[in-house]
């Protein structure tokens, strides 16, 4: 009988601990589907190659926005299907072909598994369909899509061998090179693969400020994120934001803020409202803001301001490059993002709070912050 109080006490303790453990289960489970899903990638290593390959392709679809997450890849594929099933097909085919080409060329398997050899071809496939003057479901287009997708690992490998000397990523430069090559080689009057006619502005745009629509401006923020993939549908843009949010809330925030900065820059230049509503001013700035705001630089308030500055500079560079490149009948695509962001990553400073993450350690912003804090602690603890 003397042990009864103790037994009751233990029972009560267990009943108090159990719900607490239950509450911890959800955050733990959430950790398996957020970030870069490293545990899932490790689990797949001894599974059939087909399953691994499908995971690599999905990660390639999401790597366009710096996300290596297969569930985010599924969401992005859903968003593309909402926009246009034909674009989803060409983008998916491009990703598959590029990933296969990287395997044939014996590229680094970890980079292939992270989707690093798929994302450029994703954009190549989608944008070739977007710029095609033959409309949707022109099946012959799949041949040049496959051909150009094969060049993406070649461009990536070549550029990477040079850029790694300065700890710089290649971003979407392979895509820009491939799609610019295609647009300039074919053009609007090509008999086999005609593209949309791209011409420069020849008159002063009619901008009436009283007609500015606040609701349309608000919609242009997610549409600007959608335009990273060449999509102008509002729901598609929101799905893309959700895919980014699943991997990293920090990236999602900077994606939206970057699109906002691009819109503000467009208004400051009195850009045509239809271009703003279409999201054309948001996507380059959105990518730039993500890249600097925690992806390739550890997130501090200094790098956050630097990300905003980079997004603003990218928007103005976009205006300049668009005017120049439309003269030769090609789109500026993501050239402004690549050039502006590479310039900012080359920044040299003695400020310890502006810390560029070593390229081999880059994962996603939350994990990058942990790496930065650990590196900072080691620097403080180490003797002079």
């Amino acid at each position: 009988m003397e042990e009864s109080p103790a037994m009751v006490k233990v029972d009560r303790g267990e009943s108090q601990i159990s719900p607490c453990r239950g509450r911890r289960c959800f955050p733990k489970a959430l950790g398996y589907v957020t970030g870069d899903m490293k545990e899932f990638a490790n689990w797949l290593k001894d599974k059939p190659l087909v399953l691994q390959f499908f995971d690599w392709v999905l990660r390639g679809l999401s790597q366009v926005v710096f996300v290596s997450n297969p569930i985010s890849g599924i969401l992005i594929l859903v968003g593309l299907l909402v926009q246009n099933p034909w674009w989803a097909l060409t983008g998916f085919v491009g990703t598959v072909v590029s990933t296969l080409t990287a395997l044939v060329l014996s590229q680094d398997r970890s980079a292939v598994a992270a989707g690093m050899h798929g994302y450029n071809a994703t954009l190549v496939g989608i944008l070739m369909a977007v710029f095609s003057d033959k409309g949707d479901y022109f099946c012959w287009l799949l041949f040049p899509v496959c051909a150009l997708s094969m060049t993406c690992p070649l461009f990536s490998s070549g550029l990477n061998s040079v850029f790694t000397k300065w700890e710089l990523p290649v971003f979407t430069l392979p895509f820009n090179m491939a799609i610019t090559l295609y647009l300039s080689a074919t053009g609007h009057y090509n008999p086999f693969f005609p593209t949309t006619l791209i011409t420069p502005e020849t008159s002063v745009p009619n901008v009436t400020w009283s007609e500015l629509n606040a609701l349309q401006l608000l919609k242009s923020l997610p549409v600007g994120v959608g335009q990273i993939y060449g999509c102008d549908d509002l729901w598609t843009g929101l799905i893309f934001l959700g895919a980014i949010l699943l991997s990293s809330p920090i990236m999602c925030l900077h994606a939206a803020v970057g699109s906002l900065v691009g819109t503000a820059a467009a208004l400051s230049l009195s850009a045509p409202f239809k271009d703003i509503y279409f999201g054309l001013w948001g996507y380059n700035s959105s990518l730039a803001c993500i890249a600097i705001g925690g992806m390739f630089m550890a997130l501090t308030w200094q790098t956050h301001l630097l990300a905003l500055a980079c997004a603003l500079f990218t928007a103005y560079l976009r205006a300049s490059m668009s005017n120049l490149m439309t003269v030769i009948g090609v789109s500026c695509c993501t050239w402004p993002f690549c050039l502006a962001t590479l310039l900012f990553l080359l920044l040299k400073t003695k400020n310890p709070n502006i810390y560029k993450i070593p390229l081999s350690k880059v994962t996603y912003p939350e994990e990058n912050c942990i790496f930065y804090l650990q590196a900072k602690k080691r620097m403080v603890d180490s003797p002079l």
Side-chain angles (χ1 to χ4, degrees), residues 34-93:
T34 56
D36 57 2
M37 290 185 65
K38 185 185 295 184
E39 294 83 1
F40 181 71
N42 292 332
W43 177 79
L44 276 178
K45 285 182 179 179
D46 59 348
K47 300 299 182 291
L49 185 60
V50 174
L51 290 178
Q52 295 183 51
F53 184 79
F54 191 61
D55 174 67
W56 302 343
V57 170
L58 291 175
R59 289 176 187 270
L61 289 169
S62 63
Q63 275 287 5
V64 175
V65 284
F66 308 110
V67 171
S68 179
N69 186 308
I71 298 180
S72 294
I74 292 172
L75 289 175
I76 286 167
L77 189 59
V78 169
L80 291 171
L81 288 169
V82 170
Q83 172 73 42
N84 189 317
W86 173 240
W87 296 3
L89 176 62
T90 55
F92 188 80
V93 168

Side-chain angles (χ1 to χ4, degrees), residues 63-66 115-121 123 152 155-157 159-160 163 167-177 287-293 295-297 310 334-346 356 359 362:
Q63 275 287 5
V64 175
V65 284
F66 308 110
M116 300 303 295
H117 286 288
Y119 70 96
N120 279 292
L123 292 177
C152 289
F155 290 147
S156 294
S157 182
L159 290 170
N160 194 55
F163 281 25
E167 287 286 320
L168 293 173
V170 299
F171 289 135
T172 52
L173 282 174
F175 151 69
N176 285 314
M177 295 166 67
L287 286 170
C289 200
I290 296 173
I292 302 298
M295 191 62 199
F296 295 96
M297 287 188 172
C310 184
T334 58
W335 281 109
F337 148 66
C338 291
L339 298 179
T341 309
L342 287 172
L343 181 64
F344 271 68
L345 287 177
L346 286 169
K356 189 168 77 170
L359 208 55
V362 171

Side-chain angles (χ1 to χ4, degrees), residues 1-9:
M1 293 298 292
E2 292 178 357
E3 294 178 357
S4 297
M7 292 174 63
V8 172
K9 186 175 181 180

Side-chain angles (χ1 to χ4, degrees), residues 292-304 353-357 365 368-369 371-373:
I292 302 298
M295 191 62 199
F296 295 96
M297 287 188 172
L299 184 61
T300 61
W301 68 266
Q302 290 94 337
T303 53
H304 177 68
N353 294 316
I354 300 178
Y355 180 80
K356 189 168 77 170
I357 305 292
N368 292 341
C369 285
F371 176 82
Y372 163 66
L373 292 174

Side-chain angles (χ1 to χ4, degrees), residues 221 225 228 241 244 250-260 282 285-287 289-290:
L221 301 185
V225 176
I228 295 173
L241 279 172
I244 300 171
I250 293 175
M251 289 174 65
C252 182
L253 173 65
H254 281 87
V257 170
S259 184
L260 175 63
S285 297
S286 183
L287 286 170
C289 200
I290 296 173

